Amino acid sequence: MLLGLWLAVVCAMPAPVCFGDVLFVHNYQSDEYLMGKQESELRVGYTPRAMLVDKQTRYTGSWMKRFFGEVKEQRDTTHFLLEKRQIREIDWYKNKILTLPFENMHHARMLQVDSPMTEGTAQIINARYEVAEPVFSITVDPETKTVGGYPCRFIEADLRLETRDLKKSAASITLIRQHLWVSDAVPGADQYDDFHRRLAETLGVEAERLGQLNFLLRYWQGPLDPIRESLIQIKGYPVQNDFSVEAQYVKNTSSPTPAVISKMIKKERMTLSEAKVIETLDESRFAAVGPFSEVTLQ
Protein backbone atom coordinates (compact mmCIF):
# COMPACT_ATOMS: atom_id res chain seq x y z
CA MET A 1 0.00 0.00 0.00
CA LEU A 2 2.97 2.32 0.62
CA LEU A 3 4.00 2.33 -3.03
CA GLY A 4 0.46 2.03 -4.35
CA LEU A 5 -0.72 5.25 -2.70
CA TRP A 6 2.51 6.97 -3.65
CA LEU A 7 2.16 6.10 -7.37
CA ALA A 8 -1.38 7.42 -7.44
CA VAL A 9 -0.12 11.03 -6.87
CA VAL A 10 3.60 11.16 -7.60
CA CYS A 11 5.30 13.19 -10.40
CA ALA A 12 8.90 14.21 -11.01
CA MET A 13 10.02 16.94 -13.41
CA PRO A 14 12.78 19.63 -13.20
CA ALA A 15 11.62 22.86 -11.56
CA PRO A 16 12.96 25.94 -9.78
CA VAL A 17 13.56 26.20 -6.03
CA CYS A 18 10.30 26.11 -4.10
CA PHE A 19 8.92 28.81 -1.83
CA GLY A 20 6.24 28.15 0.80
CA ASP A 21 4.18 25.05 1.47
CA VAL A 22 1.44 23.71 -0.79
CA LEU A 23 -1.83 21.85 -0.39
CA PHE A 24 -3.62 20.01 -3.21
CA VAL A 25 -7.07 18.46 -2.75
CA HIS A 26 -8.54 15.99 -5.24
CA ASN A 27 -11.87 14.28 -5.73
CA TYR A 28 -11.21 10.65 -6.59
CA GLN A 29 -13.77 8.28 -8.11
CA SER A 30 -13.15 4.64 -8.95
CA ASP A 31 -15.14 1.67 -10.17
CA GLU A 32 -13.38 -1.70 -9.85
CA TYR A 33 -14.56 -5.11 -10.98
CA LEU A 34 -14.31 -6.71 -7.52
CA MET A 35 -14.54 -3.74 -5.13
CA GLY A 36 -17.26 -1.78 -6.93
CA LYS A 37 -17.62 1.99 -6.77
CA GLN A 38 -15.50 4.15 -4.47
CA GLU A 39 -15.47 7.86 -3.69
CA SER A 40 -12.43 9.47 -2.08
CA GLU A 41 -10.97 12.78 -1.02
CA LEU A 42 -7.23 12.85 -1.63
CA ARG A 43 -5.21 15.55 0.17
CA VAL A 44 -1.53 16.01 -0.65
CA GLY A 45 0.59 18.50 1.29
CA TYR A 46 4.13 19.60 0.50
CA THR A 47 6.85 21.21 2.54
CA PRO A 48 10.51 21.51 1.46
CA ARG A 49 11.22 18.38 3.53
CA ALA A 50 8.13 16.20 3.14
CA MET A 51 5.16 15.08 1.10
CA LEU A 52 2.12 14.12 3.18
CA VAL A 53 -0.69 12.11 1.59
CA ASP A 54 -4.10 11.37 3.10
CA LYS A 55 -6.84 9.49 1.27
CA GLN A 56 -10.28 8.94 2.82
CA THR A 57 -12.42 6.48 0.85
CA ARG A 58 -16.08 5.47 0.96
CA TYR A 59 -16.96 2.15 -0.74
CA THR A 60 -20.37 3.00 -2.19
CA GLY A 61 -20.85 -0.04 -4.45
CA SER A 62 -23.95 -2.11 -3.79
CA TRP A 63 -21.97 -5.36 -3.23
CA MET A 64 -19.75 -3.77 -0.58
CA LYS A 65 -22.74 -2.20 1.16
CA ARG A 66 -24.53 -5.56 1.27
CA PHE A 67 -21.39 -7.30 2.55
CA PHE A 68 -20.71 -4.81 5.36
CA GLY A 69 -24.32 -3.76 5.99
CA GLU A 70 -23.36 -0.12 5.44
CA VAL A 71 -21.01 2.10 3.45
CA LYS A 72 -17.49 1.00 4.40
CA GLU A 73 -14.95 3.77 5.01
CA GLN A 74 -11.18 3.55 4.89
CA ARG A 75 -8.33 5.96 5.53
CA ASP A 76 -4.80 5.71 4.12
CA THR A 77 -2.05 8.11 5.21
CA THR A 78 1.55 8.12 4.03
CA HIS A 79 4.48 10.46 4.72
CA PHE A 80 7.50 10.79 2.41
CA LEU A 81 10.29 12.35 4.47
CA LEU A 82 13.37 13.49 2.55
CA GLU A 83 15.53 14.53 5.51
CA LYS A 84 14.79 11.35 7.46
CA ARG A 85 15.10 9.28 4.28
CA GLN A 86 12.02 7.21 5.01
CA ILE A 87 8.41 6.52 4.09
CA ARG A 88 5.95 6.25 6.98
CA GLU A 89 2.49 4.73 6.65
CA ILE A 90 -0.18 5.11 9.31
CA ASP A 91 -2.26 1.96 9.79
CA TRP A 92 -5.38 3.47 11.35
CA TYR A 93 -7.00 0.10 12.06
CA LYS A 94 -4.10 -1.59 13.83
CA ASN A 95 -2.79 1.59 15.49
CA LYS A 96 0.62 1.11 13.92
CA ILE A 97 3.07 3.28 12.05
CA LEU A 98 5.07 1.34 9.46
CA THR A 99 8.41 2.90 8.53
CA LEU A 100 10.30 2.00 5.36
CA PRO A 101 13.82 3.50 5.18
CA PHE A 102 14.83 4.56 1.68
CA GLU A 103 17.81 2.19 1.76
CA ASN A 104 15.42 -0.76 2.24
CA MET A 105 13.22 0.06 -0.73
CA HIS A 106 14.94 -2.57 -2.87
CA HIS A 107 13.01 -5.12 -0.80
CA ALA A 108 9.74 -3.61 -1.99
CA ARG A 109 10.94 -3.80 -5.60
CA MET A 110 11.94 -7.43 -5.10
CA LEU A 111 8.38 -8.28 -4.13
CA GLN A 112 7.28 -7.37 -7.66
CA VAL A 113 9.65 -9.83 -9.35
CA ASP A 114 8.19 -13.17 -10.35
CA SER A 115 9.64 -16.25 -8.71
CA PRO A 116 12.07 -18.05 -11.04
CA MET A 117 10.66 -21.05 -12.89
CA THR A 118 12.37 -24.37 -13.26
CA GLU A 119 13.86 -25.07 -16.67
CA GLY A 120 11.22 -27.72 -17.41
CA THR A 121 8.34 -25.43 -16.50
CA ALA A 122 9.78 -22.62 -18.59
CA GLN A 123 10.03 -24.89 -21.64
CA ILE A 124 6.40 -25.99 -21.32
CA ILE A 125 5.15 -22.43 -20.94
CA ASN A 126 7.30 -21.04 -23.75
CA ALA A 127 6.11 -23.81 -26.09
CA ARG A 128 2.46 -22.95 -25.51
CA TYR A 129 2.40 -19.19 -24.91
CA GLU A 130 3.77 -16.30 -26.91
CA VAL A 131 4.04 -12.75 -25.59
CA ALA A 132 3.45 -10.16 -28.30
CA GLU A 133 5.47 -6.97 -28.47
CA PRO A 134 3.72 -4.32 -26.33
CA VAL A 135 2.15 -1.45 -28.26
CA PHE A 136 2.66 1.92 -26.57
CA SER A 137 1.45 5.26 -27.92
CA ILE A 138 1.47 8.79 -26.49
CA THR A 139 -0.19 11.83 -28.07
CA VAL A 140 0.32 15.34 -26.69
CA ASP A 141 -2.17 17.91 -27.96
CA PRO A 142 -0.35 21.19 -28.70
CA GLU A 143 -3.53 23.20 -28.13
CA THR A 144 -4.77 24.24 -24.69
CA LYS A 145 -8.26 23.86 -23.27
CA THR A 146 -9.71 25.25 -20.05
CA VAL A 147 -10.43 22.47 -17.54
CA GLY A 148 -11.29 23.20 -13.90
CA GLY A 149 -10.46 26.86 -14.49
CA TYR A 150 -6.90 26.19 -15.73
CA PRO A 151 -5.44 26.23 -19.26
CA CYS A 152 -4.56 22.57 -19.87
CA ARG A 153 -2.87 20.42 -22.47
CA PHE A 154 -4.43 17.05 -23.22
CA ILE A 155 -2.33 13.88 -23.20
CA GLU A 156 -3.63 10.54 -24.45
CA ALA A 157 -1.60 7.41 -23.68
CA ASP A 158 -2.44 3.81 -24.55
CA LEU A 159 -0.68 0.53 -23.80
CA ARG A 160 -1.68 -2.82 -25.31
CA LEU A 161 -0.37 -6.06 -23.79
CA GLU A 162 -1.09 -9.43 -25.41
CA THR A 163 -0.31 -13.05 -24.55
CA ARG A 164 -1.22 -15.68 -27.13
CA ASP A 165 -2.25 -19.23 -26.26
CA LEU A 166 -0.93 -21.21 -29.23
CA LYS A 167 -2.60 -24.45 -28.16
CA LYS A 168 -6.11 -22.99 -27.95
CA SER A 169 -5.73 -20.36 -30.72
CA ALA A 170 -6.72 -17.73 -28.19
CA ALA A 171 -5.28 -14.52 -26.79
CA SER A 172 -5.49 -12.53 -23.55
CA ILE A 173 -5.27 -8.79 -24.13
CA THR A 174 -4.96 -5.98 -21.59
CA LEU A 175 -5.76 -2.42 -22.71
CA ILE A 176 -4.49 0.31 -20.38
CA ARG A 177 -5.54 3.89 -21.12
CA GLN A 178 -4.69 7.17 -19.42
CA HIS A 179 -6.08 10.56 -20.39
CA LEU A 180 -4.57 13.59 -18.70
CA TRP A 181 -5.25 17.31 -18.60
CA VAL A 182 -2.17 19.06 -17.18
CA SER A 183 -1.43 22.72 -16.50
CA ASP A 184 1.63 24.66 -15.37
CA ALA A 185 -0.68 27.46 -14.17
CA VAL A 186 -1.81 25.53 -11.07
CA PRO A 187 -0.65 27.27 -7.85
CA GLY A 188 2.14 25.27 -6.22
CA ALA A 189 3.18 23.44 -9.41
CA ASP A 190 6.80 24.59 -8.99
CA GLN A 191 6.98 23.32 -5.41
CA TYR A 192 5.39 20.07 -6.46
CA ASP A 193 7.88 19.58 -9.29
CA ASP A 194 10.89 20.48 -7.15
CA PHE A 195 10.03 18.05 -4.37
CA HIS A 196 9.51 15.12 -6.72
CA ARG A 197 12.69 15.89 -8.64
CA ARG A 198 14.65 15.69 -5.38
CA LEU A 199 12.76 12.57 -4.28
CA ALA A 200 13.55 10.80 -7.56
CA GLU A 201 17.23 11.76 -7.29
CA THR A 202 17.37 10.50 -3.70
CA LEU A 203 15.76 7.17 -4.57
CA GLY A 204 17.70 6.69 -7.78
CA VAL A 205 14.46 6.21 -9.73
CA GLU A 206 13.83 7.31 -13.32
CA ALA A 207 11.90 10.55 -13.00
CA GLU A 208 9.59 9.68 -15.87
CA ARG A 209 8.36 6.52 -14.14
CA LEU A 210 7.11 8.71 -11.30
CA GLY A 211 5.74 11.31 -13.66
CA GLN A 212 2.27 12.20 -14.79
CA LEU A 213 1.83 8.85 -16.59
CA ASN A 214 2.67 6.79 -13.51
CA PHE A 215 -0.75 5.08 -13.66
CA LEU A 216 0.06 3.59 -17.02
CA LEU A 217 3.81 3.10 -16.63
CA ARG A 218 3.37 0.75 -13.68
CA TYR A 219 2.21 -1.77 -16.30
CA TRP A 220 5.21 -1.09 -18.56
CA GLN A 221 8.33 -3.15 -17.78
CA GLY A 222 10.35 -2.17 -20.82
CA PRO A 223 12.91 0.65 -21.22
CA LEU A 224 11.65 4.22 -21.52
CA ASP A 225 14.05 5.27 -24.28
CA PRO A 226 11.55 4.71 -27.16
CA ILE A 227 9.00 7.03 -25.53
CA ARG A 228 11.25 9.40 -23.59
CA GLU A 229 10.86 12.28 -26.05
CA SER A 230 7.09 12.13 -25.66
CA LEU A 231 7.34 11.91 -21.87
CA ILE A 232 9.46 15.04 -21.51
CA GLN A 233 6.78 17.04 -23.34
CA ILE A 234 4.33 16.38 -20.50
CA LYS A 235 4.72 19.27 -18.08
CA GLY A 236 2.42 20.69 -15.44
CA TYR A 237 0.17 19.57 -12.60
CA PRO A 238 -2.63 17.04 -13.38
CA VAL A 239 -5.97 18.84 -13.22
CA GLN A 240 -7.89 15.78 -14.37
CA ASN A 241 -6.61 12.23 -14.69
CA ASP A 242 -8.70 9.44 -16.24
CA PHE A 243 -7.38 5.89 -16.14
CA SER A 244 -8.84 2.54 -17.19
CA VAL A 245 -7.85 -1.12 -17.51
CA GLU A 246 -9.84 -3.39 -19.84
CA ALA A 247 -9.30 -7.14 -20.21
CA GLN A 248 -10.17 -9.01 -23.40
CA TYR A 249 -10.20 -12.72 -24.15
CA VAL A 250 -10.17 -13.59 -27.84
CA LYS A 251 -11.27 -17.04 -29.02
CA ASN A 252 -10.41 -18.58 -32.41
CA THR A 253 -7.76 -16.02 -33.27
CA SER A 254 -7.11 -17.75 -36.59
CA SER A 255 -10.73 -17.22 -37.63
CA PRO A 256 -11.75 -14.21 -39.81
CA THR A 257 -14.34 -13.39 -37.11
CA PRO A 258 -12.81 -14.26 -33.72
CA ALA A 259 -15.04 -14.02 -30.66
CA VAL A 260 -14.04 -11.27 -28.20
CA ILE A 261 -15.12 -11.20 -24.55
CA SER A 262 -14.40 -7.86 -22.84
CA LYS A 263 -14.46 -6.85 -19.19
CA MET A 264 -13.69 -3.45 -17.69
CA ILE A 265 -11.43 -4.14 -14.71
CA LYS A 266 -10.99 -0.61 -13.44
CA LYS A 267 -11.99 2.97 -14.20
CA GLU A 268 -10.66 5.90 -12.20
CA ARG A 269 -10.95 9.67 -12.32
CA MET A 270 -8.96 12.09 -10.17
CA THR A 271 -10.00 15.75 -10.36
CA LEU A 272 -8.24 18.70 -8.75
CA SER A 273 -10.67 20.63 -6.53
CA GLU A 274 -8.26 22.92 -4.64
CA ALA A 275 -4.66 24.07 -4.97
CA LYS A 276 -3.07 26.72 -2.79
CA VAL A 277 0.32 27.97 -1.66
CA ILE A 278 0.40 28.63 2.08
CA GLU A 279 2.99 29.89 4.53
CA THR A 280 2.87 26.80 6.77
CA LEU A 281 1.11 23.51 6.08
CA ASP A 282 -1.15 22.24 8.87
CA GLU A 283 0.56 18.89 9.33
CA SER A 284 -1.86 17.85 12.08
CA ARG A 285 -4.35 16.96 9.32
CA PHE A 286 -1.97 14.13 8.34
CA ALA A 287 -0.80 13.05 11.81
CA ALA A 288 -1.69 9.98 13.88
CA VAL A 289 -3.57 10.80 17.08
CA GLY A 290 -3.46 8.40 20.02
CA PRO A 291 -1.19 5.52 21.06
CA PHE A 292 0.47 4.12 17.94
CA SER A 293 3.21 1.52 17.95
CA GLU A 294 6.02 1.83 15.39
CA VAL A 295 7.44 -0.93 13.20
CA THR A 296 10.46 -0.53 10.90
CA LEU A 297 10.35 -2.63 7.73
CA GLN A 298 13.71 -4.30 7.09
Side-chain angles (χ1 to χ4, degrees):
M1 187 163 60
L2 283 165
L3 297 180
L5 182 56
W6 174 23
L7 289 173
V9 296
V10 127
C11 281
M13 298 292 290
V17 177
C18 59
F19 300 94
D21 295 347
V22 185
L23 176 66
F24 298 106
V25 182
H26 300 263
N27 294 323
Y28 195 96
Q29 296 177 322
S30 177
D31 191 353
E32 297 186 32
Y33 176 55
L34 294 177
M35 302 299 291
K37 293 184 178 181
Q38 307 167 34
E39 297 178 358
S40 306
E41 181 186 75
L42 179 65
R43 304 177 71 89
V44 187
Y46 290 88
T47 75
R49 302 167 306 282
M51 175 175 72
L52 310 177
V53 182
D54 186 71
K55 184 180 181 183
Q56 300 195 44
T57 302
R58 300 175 71 250
Y59 292 87
T60 58
S62 58
W63 182 87
M64 292 290 284
K65 285 193 289 187
R66 288 198 303 269
F67 184 82
F68 288 99
E70 59 183 358
V71 174
K72 177 178 171 55
E73 297 185 358
Q74 178 175 314
R75 184 177 183 185
D76 300 295
T77 305
T78 308
H79 302 166
F80 300 87
L81 309 176
L82 279 181
E83 287 187 351
K84 294 185 177 181
R85 297 180 58 82
Q86 61 184 216
I87 303 174
R88 291 164 62 86
E89 178 187 317
I90 300 175
D91 188 329
W92 294 98
Y93 305 97
K94 296 182 179 179
N95 282 24
K96 288 184 179 180
I97 298 176
L98 307 177
T99 300
L100 175 62
F102 284 175
E103 56 267 25
N104 292 349
M105 284 194 66
H106 68 279
H107 293 297
R109 297 191 188 102
M110 286 172 61
L111 294 176
Q112 300 175 1
V113 178
D114 293 332
S115 300
M117 294 183 292
T118 64
E119 183 178 350
T121 302
Q123 290 178 350
I124 294 173
I125 291 178
N126 292 336
R128 174 168 177 175
Y129 297 99
E130 178 182 76
V131 178
E133 190 72 22
V135 179
F136 201 160
S137 65
I138 300 176
T139 303
V140 181
D141 193 335
E143 303 296 326
T144 61
K145 176 183 177 181
T146 300
V147 177
Y150 300 103
C152 296
R153 296 179 70 188
F154 174 65
I155 293 94
E156 182 176 0
D158 296 276
L159 174 60
R160 185 182 189 275
L161 305 175
E162 179 179 355
T163 299
R164 298 163 185 161
D165 187 330
L166 304 178
K167 182 178 180 180
K168 291 186 175 181
S169 295
S172 297
I173 300 171
T174 304
L175 303 174
I176 304 103
R177 301 183 177 94
Q178 189 171 357
H179 292 174
L180 271 173
W181 287 261
V182 297
S183 175
D184 54 12
V186 175
D190 288 347
Q191 292 90 326
Y192 162 87
D193 287 343
D194 181 72
F195 181 90
H196 287 291
R197 174 184 57 80
R198 292 184 289 125
L199 180 61
E201 290 174 353
T202 302
L203 295 175
V205 177
E206 287 181 294
E208 292 85 0
R209 286 200 180 275
L210 308 181
Q212 291 90 332
L213 290 181
N214 63 77
F215 283 91
L216 185 144
L217 287 175
R218 72 181 71 173
Y219 291 85
W220 172 258
Q221 302 301 318
L224 297 182
D225 292 339
I227 57 172
R228 200 176 301 277
E229 289 189 10
S230 297
L231 291 174
I232 63 177
Q233 297 181 53
I234 305 173
K235 299 180 180 179
Y237 193 87
V239 175
Q240 182 172 309
N241 190 344
D242 291 346
F243 176 77
S244 67
V245 179
E246 179 182 354
Q248 294 183 345
Y249 184 73
V250 185
K251 298 180 179 180
N252 302 320
T253 54
S254 58
S255 167
T257 55
V260 180
I261 302 172
S262 298
K263 188 69 178 182
M264 186 62 67
I265 304 301
K266 176 188 295 187
K267 292 183 69 175
E268 298 179 350
R269 168 169 288 184
M270 187 167 68
T271 307
L272 180 67
S273 61
E274 182 179 355
K276 59 182 179 181
V277 178
I278 49 183
E279 183 175 349
T280 303
L281 179 69
D282 181 6
E283 298 188 19
S284 66
R285 294 289 301 268
F286 303 88
V289 179
F292 279 74
S293 60
E294 297 197 23
V295 177
T296 299
L297 302 178
Q298 300 297 329

